[in-house]
Short mmCIF file of all heavy atoms in Angstrom, two decimals:
data_model
loop_
_atom_site.label_atom_id
_atom_site.label_comp_id
_atom_site.label_asym_id
_atom_site.label_seq_id
_atom_site.Cartn_x
_atom_site.Cartn_y
_atom_site.Cartn_z
N LEU A 24 103.24 88.47 89.09
CA LEU A 24 104.15 88.92 90.14
C LEU A 24 105.02 87.73 90.56
O LEU A 24 104.51 86.64 90.76
CB LEU A 24 103.45 89.45 91.32
CG LEU A 24 102.72 90.80 91.13
CD1 LEU A 24 101.85 91.12 92.42
CD2 LEU A 24 103.66 91.91 90.95
N GLN A 25 106.27 88.01 90.78
CA GLN A 25 107.16 87.01 91.29
C GLN A 25 107.24 87.07 92.76
O GLN A 25 106.80 88.06 93.33
CB GLN A 25 108.50 87.12 90.70
CG GLN A 25 108.51 86.88 89.17
CD GLN A 25 109.89 87.06 88.56
OE1 GLN A 25 110.84 87.21 89.23
NE2 GLN A 25 109.95 86.91 87.26
N GLY A 26 107.82 86.09 93.39
CA GLY A 26 108.00 86.10 94.89
C GLY A 26 106.90 85.30 95.60
O GLY A 26 106.04 84.68 94.94
N GLU A 27 107.00 85.34 96.89
CA GLU A 27 106.02 84.64 97.73
C GLU A 27 104.73 85.37 97.95
O GLU A 27 104.78 86.56 98.19
CB GLU A 27 106.61 84.14 98.99
CG GLU A 27 107.71 83.19 98.80
CD GLU A 27 108.12 82.50 100.19
OE1 GLU A 27 107.30 82.48 101.06
OE2 GLU A 27 109.32 82.12 100.26
N THR A 28 103.59 84.65 97.90
CA THR A 28 102.29 85.36 98.20
C THR A 28 102.20 85.51 99.69
O THR A 28 102.60 84.57 100.49
CB THR A 28 101.23 84.39 97.80
OG1 THR A 28 101.36 84.05 96.37
CG2 THR A 28 99.84 85.03 97.98
N PRO A 29 101.84 86.66 100.21
CA PRO A 29 101.72 86.92 101.66
C PRO A 29 100.72 85.99 102.24
O PRO A 29 99.81 85.51 101.62
CB PRO A 29 101.21 88.40 101.69
CG PRO A 29 101.32 88.92 100.32
CD PRO A 29 101.41 87.81 99.42
N SER A 30 100.84 85.73 103.51
CA SER A 30 99.90 84.87 104.31
C SER A 30 98.52 85.53 104.27
O SER A 30 98.44 86.64 104.58
CB SER A 30 100.45 84.63 105.67
OG SER A 30 99.46 84.08 106.48
N PRO A 31 97.52 84.67 103.95
CA PRO A 31 96.15 85.25 104.03
C PRO A 31 95.69 85.49 105.50
O PRO A 31 94.74 86.29 105.67
CB PRO A 31 95.24 84.20 103.43
CG PRO A 31 96.05 82.92 103.44
CD PRO A 31 97.49 83.32 103.52
N THR A 32 96.36 84.94 106.49
CA THR A 32 96.01 85.18 107.84
C THR A 32 96.77 86.30 108.54
O THR A 32 96.38 86.88 109.58
CB THR A 32 96.10 83.97 108.71
OG1 THR A 32 97.45 83.50 108.64
CG2 THR A 32 95.17 82.89 108.16
N GLY A 33 97.94 86.64 107.92
CA GLY A 33 98.81 87.69 108.50
C GLY A 33 98.38 89.06 107.88
O GLY A 33 98.04 89.16 106.72
N VAL A 34 98.44 90.08 108.62
CA VAL A 34 98.14 91.39 108.14
C VAL A 34 99.46 92.21 108.01
O VAL A 34 100.20 92.37 108.92
CB VAL A 34 97.22 92.15 109.14
CG1 VAL A 34 96.85 93.56 108.69
CG2 VAL A 34 95.87 91.39 109.31
N ALA A 35 99.71 92.63 106.80
CA ALA A 35 100.96 93.34 106.48
C ALA A 35 100.86 94.77 107.05
O ALA A 35 99.82 95.35 107.02
CB ALA A 35 101.21 93.41 104.94
N ALA A 36 102.00 95.28 107.57
CA ALA A 36 101.98 96.66 108.01
C ALA A 36 101.97 97.65 106.87
O ALA A 36 101.34 98.71 106.95
CB ALA A 36 103.22 96.87 108.84
N GLY A 37 102.59 97.22 105.71
CA GLY A 37 102.62 98.13 104.59
C GLY A 37 101.78 97.65 103.43
O GLY A 37 100.67 97.05 103.61
N CYS A 38 102.29 97.88 102.25
CA CYS A 38 101.58 97.43 101.04
C CYS A 38 101.52 95.88 100.92
O CYS A 38 102.58 95.18 101.19
CB CYS A 38 102.32 98.03 99.78
SG CYS A 38 101.62 97.52 98.21
N ASP A 39 100.45 95.37 100.50
CA ASP A 39 100.25 93.92 100.42
C ASP A 39 101.17 93.38 99.28
O ASP A 39 101.45 92.21 99.27
CB ASP A 39 98.83 93.62 100.06
CG ASP A 39 97.83 93.89 101.17
OD1 ASP A 39 98.29 93.81 102.30
OD2 ASP A 39 96.66 94.12 100.90
N PHE A 40 101.63 94.18 98.38
CA PHE A 40 102.45 93.71 97.24
C PHE A 40 103.94 93.96 97.50
O PHE A 40 104.78 93.64 96.57
CB PHE A 40 102.02 94.41 95.92
CG PHE A 40 100.63 93.91 95.57
CD1 PHE A 40 99.54 94.77 95.78
CD2 PHE A 40 100.36 92.75 94.88
CE1 PHE A 40 98.30 94.40 95.43
CE2 PHE A 40 99.13 92.48 94.55
CZ PHE A 40 98.02 93.19 94.87
N ALA A 41 104.29 94.56 98.60
CA ALA A 41 105.72 95.00 98.83
C ALA A 41 106.74 93.84 98.70
O ALA A 41 107.80 94.08 98.18
CB ALA A 41 105.84 95.70 100.16
N SER A 42 106.40 92.73 99.11
CA SER A 42 107.36 91.56 99.12
C SER A 42 107.52 91.04 97.66
O SER A 42 108.52 90.38 97.41
CB SER A 42 106.89 90.44 100.03
OG SER A 42 105.57 89.94 99.53
N ARG A 43 106.60 91.37 96.75
CA ARG A 43 106.72 90.87 95.43
C ARG A 43 106.92 91.92 94.34
O ARG A 43 107.15 91.66 93.16
CB ARG A 43 105.41 90.13 95.04
CG ARG A 43 105.17 88.96 95.97
CD ARG A 43 103.95 88.20 95.58
NE ARG A 43 102.76 88.89 95.95
CZ ARG A 43 101.54 88.66 95.47
NH1 ARG A 43 101.37 87.71 94.56
NH2 ARG A 43 100.52 89.37 95.84
N CYS A 44 106.90 93.20 94.77
CA CYS A 44 107.00 94.31 93.79
C CYS A 44 108.41 94.67 93.51
O CYS A 44 109.27 94.88 94.42
CB CYS A 44 106.26 95.55 94.37
SG CYS A 44 106.36 97.02 93.28
N PRO A 45 108.84 94.69 92.15
CA PRO A 45 110.20 95.09 91.89
C PRO A 45 110.49 96.51 92.16
O PRO A 45 111.68 96.92 92.15
CB PRO A 45 110.28 94.80 90.42
CG PRO A 45 108.90 94.87 89.91
CD PRO A 45 108.01 94.45 91.06
N HIS A 46 109.52 97.36 92.39
CA HIS A 46 109.73 98.84 92.73
C HIS A 46 109.63 99.19 94.17
O HIS A 46 109.82 100.31 94.51
CB HIS A 46 108.70 99.64 91.88
CG HIS A 46 108.71 99.36 90.48
ND1 HIS A 46 109.78 99.68 89.60
CD2 HIS A 46 107.81 98.63 89.76
CE1 HIS A 46 109.48 99.25 88.38
NE2 HIS A 46 108.32 98.66 88.45
N ALA A 47 109.43 98.18 95.06
CA ALA A 47 109.29 98.44 96.48
C ALA A 47 110.48 99.02 97.14
O ALA A 47 111.62 98.55 96.85
CB ALA A 47 108.84 97.21 97.18
N VAL A 48 110.31 99.94 98.04
CA VAL A 48 111.41 100.53 98.85
C VAL A 48 110.97 100.22 100.33
O VAL A 48 109.88 99.79 100.59
CB VAL A 48 111.55 102.04 98.62
CG1 VAL A 48 112.04 102.26 97.15
CG2 VAL A 48 110.26 102.73 98.82
N ASN A 49 111.88 100.52 101.20
CA ASN A 49 111.66 100.22 102.65
C ASN A 49 110.30 100.78 103.11
O ASN A 49 109.55 100.14 103.93
CB ASN A 49 112.75 100.81 103.48
CG ASN A 49 114.02 99.96 103.27
OD1 ASN A 49 114.01 98.82 103.05
ND2 ASN A 49 115.15 100.55 103.65
N ASP A 50 109.94 101.95 102.70
CA ASP A 50 108.69 102.56 103.16
C ASP A 50 107.48 101.74 102.78
O ASP A 50 106.49 101.71 103.44
CB ASP A 50 108.51 104.01 102.65
CG ASP A 50 107.79 104.89 103.55
OD1 ASP A 50 107.72 104.63 104.74
OD2 ASP A 50 107.30 105.94 103.00
N CYS A 51 107.55 101.07 101.60
CA CYS A 51 106.52 100.26 101.18
C CYS A 51 106.12 99.06 102.16
O CYS A 51 104.98 98.61 102.25
CB CYS A 51 106.76 99.60 99.80
SG CYS A 51 107.08 100.84 98.54
N HIS A 52 107.15 98.73 102.95
CA HIS A 52 106.92 97.57 103.86
C HIS A 52 106.38 98.06 105.21
O HIS A 52 105.97 97.33 106.03
CB HIS A 52 108.28 96.84 104.10
CG HIS A 52 108.78 96.10 102.98
ND1 HIS A 52 108.37 94.84 102.60
CD2 HIS A 52 109.65 96.53 101.98
CE1 HIS A 52 109.06 94.47 101.50
NE2 HIS A 52 109.81 95.51 101.12
N ARG A 53 106.40 99.43 105.38
CA ARG A 53 105.96 100.04 106.66
C ARG A 53 104.69 100.76 106.57
O ARG A 53 103.94 100.79 107.55
CB ARG A 53 107.01 101.08 107.11
CG ARG A 53 108.39 100.41 107.42
CD ARG A 53 109.28 101.37 108.06
NE ARG A 53 110.70 100.96 107.88
CZ ARG A 53 111.59 101.55 107.23
NH1 ARG A 53 111.42 102.70 106.62
NH2 ARG A 53 112.80 101.05 107.21
N ARG A 54 104.35 101.43 105.44
CA ARG A 54 103.17 102.23 105.37
C ARG A 54 102.23 101.68 104.27
O ARG A 54 102.62 101.43 103.18
CB ARG A 54 103.48 103.65 105.01
CG ARG A 54 104.23 104.41 106.01
CD ARG A 54 104.35 105.82 105.68
NE ARG A 54 104.62 106.08 104.24
CZ ARG A 54 104.18 107.14 103.59
NH1 ARG A 54 103.35 108.02 104.14
NH2 ARG A 54 104.49 107.35 102.29
N PRO A 55 100.91 101.49 104.55
CA PRO A 55 100.05 101.07 103.53
C PRO A 55 99.68 102.24 102.52
O PRO A 55 99.65 103.44 103.02
CB PRO A 55 98.72 100.71 104.32
CG PRO A 55 98.77 101.52 105.56
CD PRO A 55 100.34 101.68 105.80
N PRO A 56 99.64 101.96 101.28
CA PRO A 56 99.23 103.03 100.36
C PRO A 56 97.69 103.37 100.38
O PRO A 56 96.95 102.57 100.84
CB PRO A 56 99.61 102.41 98.98
CG PRO A 56 99.45 100.94 99.21
CD PRO A 56 99.80 100.69 100.61
N THR A 57 97.42 104.52 99.94
CA THR A 57 96.00 104.95 99.83
C THR A 57 95.61 105.05 98.33
O THR A 57 96.54 105.23 97.48
CB THR A 57 95.70 106.20 100.53
OG1 THR A 57 96.61 107.24 99.98
CG2 THR A 57 95.97 106.10 102.03
N LEU A 58 94.38 104.91 97.95
CA LEU A 58 93.97 105.12 96.58
C LEU A 58 94.10 106.53 96.21
O LEU A 58 93.71 107.44 96.92
CB LEU A 58 92.56 104.61 96.43
CG LEU A 58 92.31 103.14 96.42
CD1 LEU A 58 90.82 102.81 96.42
CD2 LEU A 58 93.04 102.45 95.25
N ALA A 59 94.67 106.75 95.00
CA ALA A 59 94.79 108.14 94.50
C ALA A 59 94.43 108.09 92.97
O ALA A 59 94.82 107.18 92.25
CB ALA A 59 96.23 108.56 94.64
N PRO A 60 93.73 109.08 92.55
CA PRO A 60 93.33 109.11 91.10
C PRO A 60 94.61 109.45 90.31
O PRO A 60 95.55 110.09 90.75
CB PRO A 60 92.37 110.28 91.06
CG PRO A 60 92.59 111.13 92.21
CD PRO A 60 93.10 110.20 93.25
N ILE A 61 94.56 108.91 89.08
CA ILE A 61 95.69 109.20 88.16
C ILE A 61 95.05 109.74 86.85
O ILE A 61 93.86 109.65 86.67
CB ILE A 61 96.57 107.97 87.83
CG1 ILE A 61 95.80 106.85 87.14
CG2 ILE A 61 97.26 107.50 89.06
CD1 ILE A 61 96.70 105.74 86.74
N ASP A 62 95.87 110.20 85.96
CA ASP A 62 95.40 110.86 84.71
C ASP A 62 94.64 109.90 83.81
O ASP A 62 95.16 109.02 83.23
CB ASP A 62 96.59 111.45 83.93
CG ASP A 62 96.25 112.13 82.73
OD1 ASP A 62 95.02 112.40 82.55
OD2 ASP A 62 97.11 112.51 81.91
N ALA A 63 93.32 110.01 83.85
CA ALA A 63 92.46 109.08 83.07
C ALA A 63 92.70 109.18 81.57
O ALA A 63 92.66 108.15 80.84
CB ALA A 63 91.01 109.37 83.38
N ALA A 64 93.02 110.39 81.11
CA ALA A 64 93.29 110.56 79.70
C ALA A 64 94.47 109.72 79.22
O ALA A 64 94.39 109.21 78.07
CB ALA A 64 93.48 112.06 79.38
N ALA A 65 95.49 109.69 79.97
CA ALA A 65 96.67 108.86 79.53
C ALA A 65 96.45 107.43 79.59
O ALA A 65 97.08 106.68 78.91
CB ALA A 65 97.82 109.17 80.62
N HIS A 66 95.39 106.97 80.27
CA HIS A 66 95.00 105.55 80.29
C HIS A 66 93.79 105.16 79.48
O HIS A 66 93.32 104.09 79.53
CB HIS A 66 94.86 105.06 81.78
CG HIS A 66 96.14 105.22 82.54
ND1 HIS A 66 97.16 104.39 82.45
CD2 HIS A 66 96.62 106.17 83.36
CE1 HIS A 66 98.19 104.69 83.23
NE2 HIS A 66 97.81 105.88 83.76
N LYS A 67 93.23 106.17 78.81
CA LYS A 67 92.02 105.99 77.97
C LYS A 67 90.86 105.36 78.79
O LYS A 67 90.12 104.47 78.31
CB LYS A 67 92.39 105.13 76.77
CG LYS A 67 93.48 105.77 75.92
CD LYS A 67 93.83 104.73 74.83
CE LYS A 67 94.95 105.34 74.03
NZ LYS A 67 96.23 105.19 74.53
N THR A 68 90.71 105.69 80.08
CA THR A 68 89.64 105.31 80.84
C THR A 68 88.90 106.50 81.49
O THR A 68 89.52 107.58 81.51
CB THR A 68 90.08 104.43 82.02
OG1 THR A 68 91.01 105.21 82.91
CG2 THR A 68 90.88 103.22 81.48
N ARG A 69 87.69 106.33 81.93
CA ARG A 69 86.99 107.43 82.55
C ARG A 69 87.58 107.76 83.94
O ARG A 69 87.71 108.92 84.35
CB ARG A 69 85.57 107.10 82.71
CG ARG A 69 84.77 107.14 81.45
CD ARG A 69 83.26 107.01 81.75
NE ARG A 69 82.63 106.37 80.60
CZ ARG A 69 81.56 105.77 80.63
NH1 ARG A 69 80.92 105.53 81.78
NH2 ARG A 69 81.09 105.22 79.54
N ARG A 70 87.92 106.72 84.62
CA ARG A 70 88.37 106.85 86.02
C ARG A 70 89.37 105.76 86.31
O ARG A 70 89.08 104.59 86.11
CB ARG A 70 87.28 106.88 86.99
CG ARG A 70 87.69 107.10 88.43
CD ARG A 70 86.47 107.18 89.26
NE ARG A 70 86.90 107.33 90.68
CZ ARG A 70 86.67 106.29 91.60
NH1 ARG A 70 86.05 105.20 91.18
NH2 ARG A 70 87.15 106.40 92.80
N HIS A 71 90.50 106.12 86.85
CA HIS A 71 91.45 105.11 87.27
C HIS A 71 92.16 105.57 88.51
O HIS A 71 92.60 106.71 88.59
CB HIS A 71 92.49 104.88 86.10
CG HIS A 71 93.37 103.72 86.36
ND1 HIS A 71 92.92 102.43 85.94
CD2 HIS A 71 94.62 103.54 86.84
CE1 HIS A 71 93.90 101.54 86.29
NE2 HIS A 71 94.94 102.26 86.77
N VAL A 72 92.31 104.69 89.46
CA VAL A 72 92.99 104.97 90.68
C VAL A 72 94.10 103.96 90.90
O VAL A 72 94.10 102.87 90.36
CB VAL A 72 92.06 104.96 91.86
CG1 VAL A 72 91.00 106.05 91.77
CG2 VAL A 72 91.30 103.68 92.04
N VAL A 73 95.04 104.32 91.66
CA VAL A 73 96.16 103.42 91.94
C VAL A 73 96.55 103.52 93.50
O VAL A 73 96.23 104.61 94.09
CB VAL A 73 97.43 103.86 91.11
CG1 VAL A 73 97.89 105.25 91.45
CG2 VAL A 73 98.44 102.84 91.27
N ALA A 74 97.03 102.45 94.04
CA ALA A 74 97.32 102.50 95.51
C ALA A 74 98.86 102.11 95.48
O ALA A 74 99.18 100.95 95.44
CB ALA A 74 96.59 101.51 96.26
N CYS A 75 99.70 103.15 95.43
CA CYS A 75 101.13 102.90 95.49
C CYS A 75 101.88 104.17 96.08
O CYS A 75 101.54 105.31 95.67
CB CYS A 75 101.74 102.67 94.03
SG CYS A 75 103.39 102.40 93.95
N LEU A 76 102.73 103.87 97.04
CA LEU A 76 103.40 105.01 97.64
C LEU A 76 104.35 105.70 96.69
O LEU A 76 104.72 106.87 96.80
CB LEU A 76 104.35 104.55 98.83
CG LEU A 76 103.50 103.94 100.00
CD1 LEU A 76 104.41 103.41 101.11
CD2 LEU A 76 102.62 105.06 100.63
N ARG A 77 104.76 105.05 95.61
CA ARG A 77 105.68 105.54 94.62
C ARG A 77 105.00 105.96 93.30
O ARG A 77 105.61 106.19 92.31
CB ARG A 77 106.79 104.55 94.28
CG ARG A 77 107.50 104.12 95.48
CD ARG A 77 108.72 103.31 95.33
NE ARG A 77 109.65 104.18 94.47
CZ ARG A 77 110.63 103.65 93.74
NH1 ARG A 77 110.74 102.39 93.52
NH2 ARG A 77 111.37 104.45 92.99
N GLN A 78 103.70 106.14 93.32
CA GLN A 78 102.89 106.43 92.13
C GLN A 78 103.46 107.63 91.30
O GLN A 78 103.54 107.57 90.14
CB GLN A 78 101.56 106.72 92.51
CG GLN A 78 100.52 107.00 91.46
CD GLN A 78 100.23 108.42 91.23
OE1 GLN A 78 100.27 109.26 92.15
NE2 GLN A 78 99.96 108.83 90.00
N GLY A 79 103.84 108.65 91.96
CA GLY A 79 104.42 109.84 91.23
C GLY A 79 105.83 109.60 90.62
O GLY A 79 106.23 110.37 89.75
N GLU A 80 106.51 108.66 91.23
CA GLU A 80 107.93 108.46 90.83
C GLU A 80 108.14 107.49 89.69
O GLU A 80 109.16 107.55 88.92
CB GLU A 80 108.71 107.89 91.96
CG GLU A 80 108.66 108.67 93.22
CD GLU A 80 109.31 107.90 94.42
OE1 GLU A 80 110.24 107.09 94.20
OE2 GLU A 80 108.79 108.12 95.54
N LEU A 81 107.21 106.60 89.48
CA LEU A 81 107.31 105.48 88.47
C LEU A 81 106.62 105.85 87.18
O LEU A 81 105.66 106.61 87.20
CB LEU A 81 106.72 104.14 89.07
CG LEU A 81 107.43 103.71 90.35
CD1 LEU A 81 106.72 102.53 90.91
CD2 LEU A 81 108.89 103.32 90.10
N PRO A 82 107.01 105.32 86.14
CA PRO A 82 106.42 105.50 84.80
C PRO A 82 104.97 105.01 84.92
O PRO A 82 104.72 104.02 85.55
CB PRO A 82 107.24 104.80 83.80
CG PRO A 82 108.25 103.99 84.52
CD PRO A 82 108.18 104.39 85.93
N ALA A 83 104.09 105.60 84.18
CA ALA A 83 102.73 105.13 84.14
C ALA A 83 102.48 103.80 83.52
O ALA A 83 103.17 103.42 82.60
CB ALA A 83 101.86 106.14 83.37
N PHE A 84 101.65 103.08 84.08
CA PHE A 84 101.36 101.69 83.64
C PHE A 84 99.99 101.73 82.93
O PHE A 84 99.02 102.30 83.52
CB PHE A 84 101.23 100.75 84.81
CG PHE A 84 100.73 99.39 84.34
CD1 PHE A 84 101.54 98.49 83.67
CD2 PHE A 84 99.45 99.00 84.70
CE1 PHE A 84 101.13 97.25 83.28
CE2 PHE A 84 98.96 97.72 84.25
CZ PHE A 84 99.81 96.82 83.63
N ASP A 85 99.94 101.36 81.67
CA ASP A 85 98.70 101.37 80.91
C ASP A 85 98.02 99.98 80.91
O ASP A 85 98.54 99.04 80.26
CB ASP A 85 98.92 101.83 79.50
CG ASP A 85 97.67 102.01 78.70
OD1 ASP A 85 96.60 101.57 79.12
OD2 ASP A 85 97.83 102.64 77.55
N PRO A 86 96.98 99.78 81.69
CA PRO A 86 96.34 98.47 81.82
C PRO A 86 95.85 97.91 80.45
O PRO A 86 95.76 96.77 80.24
CB PRO A 86 95.26 98.64 82.82
CG PRO A 86 95.04 100.07 82.90
CD PRO A 86 96.25 100.77 82.52
N LEU A 87 95.46 98.81 79.56
CA LEU A 87 94.87 98.42 78.27
C LEU A 87 96.02 97.94 77.46
O LEU A 87 95.75 97.00 76.58
CB LEU A 87 94.12 99.65 77.60
CG LEU A 87 92.93 100.08 78.36
CD1 LEU A 87 92.32 101.37 77.69
CD2 LEU A 87 91.92 99.07 78.59
N ALA A 88 97.20 98.52 77.48
CA ALA A 88 98.33 98.04 76.64
C ALA A 88 98.96 96.79 77.19
O ALA A 88 99.55 96.05 76.47
CB ALA A 88 99.36 99.14 76.62
N ALA A 89 98.76 96.49 78.49
CA ALA A 89 99.33 95.33 79.06
C ALA A 89 98.65 94.02 78.65
O ALA A 89 99.23 92.98 78.71
CB ALA A 89 99.30 95.42 80.58
N GLY A 90 97.38 94.11 78.21
CA GLY A 90 96.70 93.03 77.60
C GLY A 90 96.18 92.05 78.48
O GLY A 90 95.92 91.01 78.31
#
C-alpha cells in the first residue's frame, strides 16, 4: 500500500486503510467496514471474508493469485 501509515495511537472514524486505498471514497473515511463473507469458490478457499464498504462494487481480489 502506498501513502502514510495511520497513527497507532489515533483511532480512525472509518476504515483503517482509507488514507492508503486507491478505491476509497468519502464514506470510507467516515464509516468502519464490517466483515462480510465472499464467494469462497471464486477464491479457491473454504472461507474468505472481507471488510470493505465497496466490496460489492469492486472486482474480486484473489489472494492466491496475488502471490
Side-chain angles (χ1 to χ4, degrees):
L24 291 172
Q25 295 180 2
E27 292 194 27
T28 306
S30 168
T32 59
V34 178
C38 177
D39 291 333
F40 295 98
S42 64
R43 300 183 286 163
C44 177
H46 306 290
V48 293
N49 287 337
D50 211 22
C51 299
H52 295 274
R53 295 186 199 121
R54 291 189 320 146
T57 57
L58 286 174
I61 61 172
D62 184 8
H66 297 281
K67 301 175 183 79
T68 62
R69 286 191 208 154
R70 181 174 176 249
H71 191 81
V72 293
V73 65
C75 180
L76 296 175
R77 301 194 61 206
Q78 183 262 330
E80 303 170 33
L81 300 172
F84 172 75
D85 186 345
L87 298 177

